[in-house]
């Protein structure tokens, strides 16, 4: 609709078609008999033209037509930026010439820009009553009806404009856009095919047809139209930005970012496209770039909660938990009755090992929305890390009631069963995860770990550990799992090497340090063992209980 209003304003102010089929003639033309008349009508200097129109008004008291035209021209030159004065002038012009269609149209436009829809509708109805063959009045009323949600009424008015100007490609495009709005894709594509037939080099019409064709699931046709639109006008941002949406949906994030880079360079005010690029950067693991895009949106609108929340998640992925907490604080401030802010902040506190704060936030989230599986899962993890194994079990079980086979819950529950010594259940949960989510990269390692912990069939555990993809074997969770298997097999030096490697990673699990202490104890390195056992227990409140369930308690024999 913005495009409709912009084109309409161009016609009304300049008297030129501005790319449309034709212009509306100025009613009440003044003979070019004086310098003021000529300057008012045709002056290139806007301020001088306004002054000339003002002078003409004072000299035309006895000539209503000339005065009306001067008021009209001055109002057009003042434009919506000086709306109050322009409306006063238009009122005078219409008072002097009630059938001045152009004055009615311009006043309707200014009313629309000021959200006075009743005034705009009254003027457009009057303009159509005065000049039923003026297509611009129908276009203006169609735009107004579309704004008011009366799409069928808008379509009818676009139809009248098309009847009057059947060769105007833009009018077919406007009606096609109205059909697109109500998802009448078959009707939209008919109009847009006709529009493109009339104006085959119109980048705007090609881009609009691409939107419709994409909505009709013709991806190849949409991409072809986007490419044609870009070739027709490489400086038009819409085809790049809209094509990026299609690329994002098919998970071609690199292409989406490339198109968004071009589109946003051409039109940096499209905040929705910054949001999309932030998401694409996130999917590519480019978290700093995602944070930068979210920050751009927030700078434009500090109340944009989606951007604040998105940046918080990007900080989480960067492991910048303090920055994430600050953004979650802001998200909560913007919407204190929404659960997800508390879920996010609770997860951040949990990852910082600030378990009381995590549990408090997640509990509050569950008072807002008891069906929040993520809150139950994260609270269960925080409770387990705090030593509340029974509370953790209750949370995980409740989460699975709400969402059976949730992968994050199955992972946590399986590990919790190891702490409880319920090895059969731990194995079953790990197997269920692998069966339900074969692409889950944690599943192979978890099966290795749980079978090693059970200890009943070390040959199967060995096979499972060896089958873990090579890309995952440098991760600390895998090193800890294989270390436990080797400990079970009595391969102490190899177990020590795996625990030691895991303990030296960027984010070492407490199990790695504690397990190293267990092996050191068995090797007779009492001082090192005491240090690692104490350190590991300080890192993980339940690690000692887990190793005791494995059969390696703090008083385990050294031989």
């Amino acid at each position: 609709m913005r495009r409709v209003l912009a084109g309409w304003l161009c016609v009304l102010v300049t008297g030129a078609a501005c790319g449309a089929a034709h212009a509306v003639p100025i009613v009440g033309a003044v003979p070019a008999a004086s310098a003021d008349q000529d300057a008012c009508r045709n002056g290139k200097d806007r301020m001088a033209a306004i002054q000339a129109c003002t002078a003409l008004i004072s000299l035309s008291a006895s000539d209503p037509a000339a005065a009306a035209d001067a008021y009209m021209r001055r109002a057009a030159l003042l434009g919506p930026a000086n709306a109050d004065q322009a409306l006063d002038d238009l009122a005078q012009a219409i008072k002097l010439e009630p059938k001045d269609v152009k004055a009615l149209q311009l006043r309707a436009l200014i009313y629309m820009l000021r959200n006075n829809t009743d005034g705009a509708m009254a003027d457009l109805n009057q303009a159509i009553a005065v000049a039923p063959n003026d297509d611009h009045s129908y276009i203006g009323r169609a735009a107004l009806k579309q704004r008011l949600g009366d799409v069928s009424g808008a379509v009818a008015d676009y139809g009248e404009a098309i009847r009057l100007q059947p060769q105007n490609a833009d009018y077919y495009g406007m009606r096609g856009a109205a059909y697109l709005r109500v998802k009448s894709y078959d009707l939209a594509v008919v109009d847009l095919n006709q529009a493109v037939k009339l104006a085959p080099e119109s980048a705007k019409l090609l881009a609009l047809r691409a939107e419709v064709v994409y909505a009709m699931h013709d991806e190849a046709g949409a991409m072809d139209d986007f490419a044609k639109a870009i070739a027709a006008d490489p400086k038009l941002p819409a085809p790049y930005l809209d094509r990026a949406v299609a690329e994002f949906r098919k998970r071609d994030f690199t292409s989406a970012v490339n198109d968004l880079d071009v589109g946003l360079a051409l039109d940096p005010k499209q905040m929705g496209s910054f949001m999309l690029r932030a998401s694409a950067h996130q999917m590519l693991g480019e978290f700093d770039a995602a944070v930068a895009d979210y920050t751009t949106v927030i700078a434009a609108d500090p109340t944009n909660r989606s951007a604040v929340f998105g940046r918080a998640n990007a900080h989480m992925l960067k492991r910048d938990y303090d920055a994430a907490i600050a953004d979650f604080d802001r998200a909560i401030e913007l919407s204190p009755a929404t659960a997800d802010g508390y879920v996010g902040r609770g997860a951040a506190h949990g990852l910082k090992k600030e378990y009381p704060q995590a549990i408090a936030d997640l509990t509050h989230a569950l008072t807002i929305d008891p069906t929040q599986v993520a809150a139950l899962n994260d609270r269960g993890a925080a409770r387990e890390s705090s030593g509340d194994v029974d509370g953790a079990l209750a949370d995980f079980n409740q989460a699975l009631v709400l969402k059976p086979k949730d992968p994050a819950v199955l992972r946590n529950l399986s590990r919790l069963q190891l702490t409880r010594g319920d090895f059969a259940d731990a194995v079953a949960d790990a197997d269920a995860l692998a069966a339900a989510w074969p692409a889950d990269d944690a599943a192979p390692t978890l099966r290795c770990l749980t079978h090693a912990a059970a200890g009943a069939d070390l040959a199967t555990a060995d096979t499972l550990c060896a089958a873990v993809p090579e890309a995952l074997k440098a991760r600390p969770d895998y090193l800890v799992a294989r270390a436990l298997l080797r400990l079970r097999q009595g391969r102490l030096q190899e177990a020590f090497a795996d625990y030691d490697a895991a303990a030296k990673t960027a984010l070492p699990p407490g199990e790695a340090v504690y397990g190293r202490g267990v092996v050191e104890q068995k090797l007779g390195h009492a001082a090192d063992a005491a240090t690692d056992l104490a350190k590991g227990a300080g890192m993980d409140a339940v690690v000692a209980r887990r190793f005791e369930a494995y059969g390696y308690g703090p008083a385990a024999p050294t031989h």
Side-chain angles (χ1 to χ4, degrees):
M1 191 177 75
R2 289 194 193 109
R3 191 162 65 240
V4 176
L5 296 182
W8 200 26
L9 177 61
C10 190
V11 169
L12 296 174
V13 172
T14 67
C18 304
H22 71 289
V24 180
I26 297 176
V27 176
V30 180
S34 72
D36 283 335
Q37 289 169 345
D38 184 63
C40 176
R41 291 292 304 280
N42 305 308
K44 302 297 183 183
D45 183 291
R46 178 172 171 273
M47 292 308 299
I50 290 173
Q51 290 172 0
C53 291
T54 302
L56 194 60
I57 288 168
S58 65
L59 294 172
S60 303
S62 61
D63 186 348
D69 188 70
Y71 276 119
M72 171 61 206
R73 284 299 300 168
R74 189 170 70 176
L77 290 162
L78 289 167
N82 301 279
D84 289 338
Q85 187 176 348
L87 288 172
D88 287 343
D89 279 356
L90 289 167
Q92 290 298 322
I94 293 167
K95 181 179 178 181
L96 292 167
E97 290 286 347
K99 295 184 178 182
D100 188 337
V101 173
K102 190 171 183 185
L104 289 165
Q105 290 173 342
L106 181 54
R107 189 168 69 175
L109 170 61
I110 295 175
Y111 279 150
M112 289 171 70
L113 294 173
R114 301 190 85 187
N115 296 316
N116 181 354
T117 55
D118 290 340
M121 187 66 76
D123 277 349
L124 289 167
N125 287 339
Q126 178 64 16
I128 289 170
V130 169
N133 291 327
D134 188 307
D135 51 303
H136 289 91
S137 297
Y138 289 105
I139 289 297
R141 192 170 70 175
L144 178 57
K145 287 179 177 179
Q146 205 165 326
R147 174 189 286 187
L148 295 171
D150 180 10
V151 178
S152 61
V155 165
D157 276 344
Y158 286 133
E160 285 299 304
I162 289 169
R163 178 182 64 79
L164 293 165
Q165 293 293 327
Q167 299 305 306
N168 189 309
D170 284 342
Y171 291 177
Y172 289 99
M174 291 172 190
R175 189 170 67 178
Y179 283 132
L180 173 61
R181 179 174 175 177
V182 293
K183 300 182 180 180
S184 295
Y185 304 129
D186 291 341
L187 294 172
V189 80
V190 170
D191 270 348
L192 288 163
N193 284 340
Q194 180 63 19
V196 171
K197 181 179 178 180
L198 290 168
E201 299 302 317
S202 170
K204 291 180 180 179
L205 293 172
L206 285 164
L208 185 57
R209 188 174 69 175
E211 283 189 66
V212 174
V213 170
Y214 184 77
M216 297 175 76
H217 307 291
D218 180 2
E219 183 178 303
M223 290 301 181
D224 184 56
D225 270 349
F226 283 133
K228 288 177 179 176
I230 290 168
D233 184 358
K235 298 299 183 183
L236 183 67
Y240 299 102
L241 301 178
D242 291 339
R243 186 170 68 178
V245 174
E247 289 161 341
F248 186 92
R249 288 175 178 168
K250 66 177 184 176
R251 303 186 68 80
D252 184 359
F253 303 119
T254 299
S255 294
V257 167
N258 291 339
D259 270 343
L260 288 163
D261 286 347
V262 178
L264 285 169
L266 293 168
D267 185 359
K269 294 182 179 180
Q270 294 297 322
M271 293 300 111
S273 295
F274 276 106
M275 291 287 288
L276 183 66
R277 190 171 69 177
S279 296
H281 279 309
Q282 237 171 267
M283 298 303 295
L284 291 168
E286 298 165 350
F287 306 130
D288 287 335
V291 167
D293 277 343
Y294 285 128
T295 300
T296 297
V297 178
I298 294 166
D301 179 8
T303 66
N304 188 321
R305 187 180 186 277
S306 294
V308 173
F309 193 83
R311 189 172 68 178
N313 283 324
H315 284 310
M316 289 283 281
L317 292 167
K318 286 181 61 183
R319 297 176 179 172
D320 187 351
Y321 302 126
D322 289 334
I325 288 169
D327 275 341
F328 284 129
D329 286 344
R330 176 62 175 154
I332 290 168
E333 178 185 344
L334 290 169
S335 185
T338 304
D340 60 2
Y342 297 97
V343 175
R345 191 171 69 181
H349 281 304
L351 290 166
K352 288 189 68 182
K353 300 186 178 182
E354 297 168 347
Y355 301 122
Q357 297 97 313
I359 291 168
D361 269 344
L362 296 163
T363 299
H364 188 77
L366 289 164
T367 64
I368 296 172
D369 181 3
T371 67
Q372 277 276 348
V373 171
L376 286 164
N377 183 53
D378 289 345
R379 188 175 70 175
R383 282 178 163 173
E384 180 185 6
S385 296
S386 300
D388 181 7
V389 173
D390 293 337
L393 181 64
D395 277 345
F396 294 145
N397 283 334
Q398 178 60 26
L400 288 179
V401 168
L402 294 169
K403 191 175 180 181
K405 298 183 181 179
D406 181 273
V409 179
L410 285 172
R411 287 193 294 268
N412 282 337
L413 181 58
S414 181
R415 291 190 180 95
L416 178 69
Q417 301 292 17
L418 295 180
T419 302
R420 300 178 72 244
D422 292 336
F423 300 130
D425 286 343
V427 167
D429 287 333
D431 290 346
L433 174 67
W437 305 95
D440 189 297
D441 64 1
T445 295
L446 190 58
R447 294 189 75 204
C448 160
L449 174 65
T450 54
H451 281 79
D457 185 354
L458 293 181
T460 297
D462 206 335
T463 300
L464 289 170
C465 291
V468 171
E470 288 299 320
L472 305 178
K473 288 184 175 179
R475 292 184 2 177
D477 57 338
Y478 175 76
L479 292 169
V480 163
R482 189 173 65 182
L484 179 60
L485 172 64
R486 289 173 169 176
L487 178 58
R488 287 272 196 230
Q489 293 170 329
R491 298 157 65 181
L492 299 184
Q493 294 296 341
E494 293 170 275
F496 177 86
D498 277 344
Y499 280 131
D500 187 55
K504 291 176 179 176
T505 56
L507 294 171
E511 190 162 355
V513 177
Y514 195 92
R516 186 173 64 185
V518 168
V519 175
E520 288 165 339
Q521 188 180 59
K522 284 186 167 293
L523 291 171
H525 305 153
D528 291 338
T531 298
D532 277 343
L533 290 171
K535 183 178 178 181
M539 295 168 66
D540 183 340
V542 294
V543 68
R545 178 172 172 176
R546 191 177 306 125
F547 270 88
E548 190 171 1
Y550 296 160
Y552 305 109
T558 58
H559 301 290

